[in-house]
């Protein structure tokens, strides 16, 4: 009787899953996953950079893959390898962002050094200016943070989703110092 009851429950559960669930996902997991999901692609990239360790593109893509998959520690290592091959503003910024994610949003000294290197290579690097502004604000250096963010705000396209974030952060810095921010001037171009 217990066996028949167990088969009945399994039959109802399996039938309901087959009708209402997504059995194609279960079948896909049994297939070769090397090209079907991000983790599979990361595995392929990792194997490729082991074969060709001087591949700037391979290390860069591997770092971006790790970052997208939520593995900032391995992303930082991959970006560091890419930087060793060919330093660039974009790679320093990506490395810094991976370090910030790894430290739960804190812009630590290693990340600041990466962002400063990015700015040295490209004074208009948006990520570097944003994160160095965060670091300056966290240290209580409101004038430095405001200068970085206002310069970035002036360079951003009108439709950039970063504009409202910067306006809020600049206004917050101004209110901390007792100033009344000129929000109308900052908001110009947000609409």
């Amino acid at each position: 009787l217990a066996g028949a009851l167990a088969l009945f429950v399994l039959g109802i559960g399996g039938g309901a899953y087959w009708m209402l669930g997504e059995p194609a996902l279960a079948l896909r997991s049994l297939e070769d996953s090397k090209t079907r999901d991000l983790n599979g692609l990361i595995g392929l990239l990792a194997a490729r950079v082991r074969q060709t360790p001087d591949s700037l593109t391979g290390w860069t893509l591997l770092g971006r893959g790790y970052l997208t998959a939520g593995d900032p520690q391995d992303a930082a290592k991959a970006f560091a390898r890419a930087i060793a091959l060919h330093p660039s503003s974009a790679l320093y910024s990506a490395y810094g962002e991976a370090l910030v994610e790894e430290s739960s949003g804190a812009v630590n000294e290693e990340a600041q050094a990466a962002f400063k290197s990015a700015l040295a290579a490209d004074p208009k690097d948006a990520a570097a200016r944003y994160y160095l502004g965060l670091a300056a604000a966290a240290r209580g250096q409101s004038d430095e943070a405001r200068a970085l963010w206002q310069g970035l705000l002036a360079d951003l396209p009108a439709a950039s989703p970063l504009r409202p974030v910067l306006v809020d952060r600049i206004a917050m810095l101004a209110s901390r110092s007792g100033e009344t921010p000129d929000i109308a001037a900052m908001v110009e171009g947000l609409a």
Side-chain angles (χ1 to χ4, degrees), residues 85-130:
L85 293 171
H86 182 73
S88 73
S89 174
L91 287 174
Y92 279 118
S93 284
Y95 177 59
E97 287 184 63
L99 293 171
V100 168
E101 278 196 38
E102 183 180 359
S103 64
S104 302
V107 186
N108 60 31
E109 295 205 16
E110 189 177 0
Q112 288 180 52
F115 291 127
K116 286 177 182 176
S117 294
L119 275 184
D122 177 10
K124 297 285 188 180
D125 187 288
R129 292 191 286 171
Y130 175 75

Side-chain angles (χ1 to χ4, degrees), residues 72-173:
Q73 185 176 19
D74 284 336
K77 290 175 187 175
F79 287 130
R81 290 290 299 264
I83 288 169
L85 293 171
H86 182 73
S88 73
S89 174
L91 287 174
Y92 279 118
S93 284
Y95 177 59
E97 287 184 63
L99 293 171
V100 168
E101 278 196 38
E102 183 180 359
S103 64
S104 302
V107 186
N108 60 31
E109 295 205 16
E110 189 177 0
Q112 288 180 52
F115 291 127
K116 286 177 182 176
S117 294
L119 275 184
D122 177 10
K124 297 285 188 180
D125 187 288
R129 292 191 286 171
Y130 175 75
Y131 285 107
L132 287 173
L134 283 179
R139 290 189 310 267
Q141 297 171 329
S142 297
D143 291 339
E144 181 182 342
R146 188 178 308 135
L148 284 163
W149 288 338
Q150 284 176 332
L152 177 56
L153 187 63
D155 291 342
L156 287 175
S160 172
L162 186 55
R163 288 183 70 83
V165 172
L166 288 172
V167 168
D168 287 346
R169 291 196 181 273
I170 293 168
M172 185 173 51
L173 288 176

Side-chain angles (χ1 to χ4, degrees), residues 43-66:
L44 284 174
L45 280 169
R48 179 65 54 108
V49 295
R50 274 189 236 111
Q51 293 171 353
T52 56
D54 293 334
S55 171
L56 174 64
T57 302
W59 286 111
T60 303
L61 291 173
L62 184 60
R64 294 206 186 286
Y66 280 135

Side-chain angles (χ1 to χ4, degrees), residues 10-24:
L10 285 174
I12 295 294
Y17 176 71
W18 191 260
M19 297 295 287
L20 303 173
E22 294 192 41

